[in-house]
């Protein structure tokens, strides 16, 4: 249940950040947050990562819902094998549900974090959570392999 609780915290943080940026900044405007590093620029992303599958909102919504249900099933029915695996599942579920809520209720995902010095797609906290999950899974796999003696 700790994994679900942590996921709910991530989802809340993601949704709150999107709500605040939408209400304070709105669309079509950009606000510099950290000079030469970070802007808040709110956009509607109708695709997936890097705006892939831009015209597939229904498919992405269904995929997001199914992935979220699959993750919840794994979390509730199987004991996680390690700390890193547990943290990875919490972040993955939080990020998947965070963006899934946007797709389900808005038809697009709100992205607002823009890295100024590089030409990188605008993203949000749910996207960061999914990337943290991947890092956690890599650490988990690497850590287990380092214990193996040949």
């Amino acid at each position: 249940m700790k994994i679900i609780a942590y996921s709910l915290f991530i989802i809340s943080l993601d949704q709150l950040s999107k709500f605040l940026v939408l209400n304070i900044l709105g669309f079509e405007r950009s606000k510099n947050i950290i000079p030469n590093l970070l802007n808040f620029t709110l956009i509607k992303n109708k695709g997936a990562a890097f705006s892939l599958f831009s015209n597939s909102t229904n498919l992405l919504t269904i995929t997001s819902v199914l992935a979220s249900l699959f993750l919840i099933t794994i979390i509730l029915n199987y004991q996680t094998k390690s700390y890193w695996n547990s943290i990875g599942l919490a972040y993955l579920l939080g990020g998947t549900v965070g963006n899934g809520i946007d797709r389900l209720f808005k038809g697009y995902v709100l992205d607002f974090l823009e890295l100024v010095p590089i030409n990188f797609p605008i993203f949000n906290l749910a996207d960061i959570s999914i990337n943290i999950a991947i890092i956690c899974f890599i650490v988990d796999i690497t850590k287990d392999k380092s214990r193996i003696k040949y």
Side-chain angles (χ1 to χ4, degrees):
M1 289 313 264
K2 286 181 183 180
I3 296 172
I4 299 289
Y6 196 63
S7 295
L8 290 171
F9 175 74
I10 293 167
I11 295 162
S12 299
L13 201 57
D14 173 67
Q15 291 298 304
L16 178 63
S17 67
K18 292 171 182 174
F19 175 81
L20 290 174
V21 172
L22 177 61
N23 285 306
I24 293 169
L25 183 64
F27 291 106
E28 307 298 324
R29 292 186 23 210
S30 187
K31 172 103 172 123
N32 184 256
I33 303 302
I34 302 173
N36 300 315
L37 182 62
L38 179 68
N39 286 346
F40 281 180
T41 305
L42 192 63
I43 63 163
K44 296 177 183 180
N45 181 356
K46 293 188 178 186
F50 304 104
S51 295
L52 296 172
F53 308 107
S54 290
N55 295 320
S56 303
T57 304
N58 290 338
L59 175 64
L60 291 171
T61 302
I62 291 167
T63 302
S64 184
V65 169
L66 291 176
S68 298
L69 292 173
F70 179 71
L71 287 168
I72 292 168
T73 301
I74 289 172
I75 291 166
L76 294 178
N77 292 314
Y78 299 97
Q79 187 174 7
T80 56
K81 63 179 188 164
S82 73
Y83 169 81
W84 289 107
N85 187 266
S86 298
I87 296 299
L89 286 170
Y91 273 100
L92 185 57
L93 180 60
T96 303
V97 172
N99 281 340
I101 289 170
D102 284 6
R103 283 192 183 96
L104 193 60
F105 294 105
K106 295 179 179 88
Y108 54 85
V109 173
L110 287 173
D111 288 334
F112 64 92
L113 296 168
E114 179 183 24
L115 296 175
V116 177
I118 59 175
N119 187 18
F120 193 79
I122 298 172
F123 55 98
N124 61 41
L125 295 182
D127 299 332
I128 293 171
S129 296
I130 292 167
N131 284 285
I132 290 172
I134 292 167
I135 292 167
C136 290
F137 294 142
I138 290 170
V139 168
D140 184 51
I141 291 168
T142 305
K143 191 172 182 184
D144 284 348
K145 294 220 187 263
S146 68
R147 290 188 209 153
I148 298 172
K149 306 254 183 197
Y150 292 98

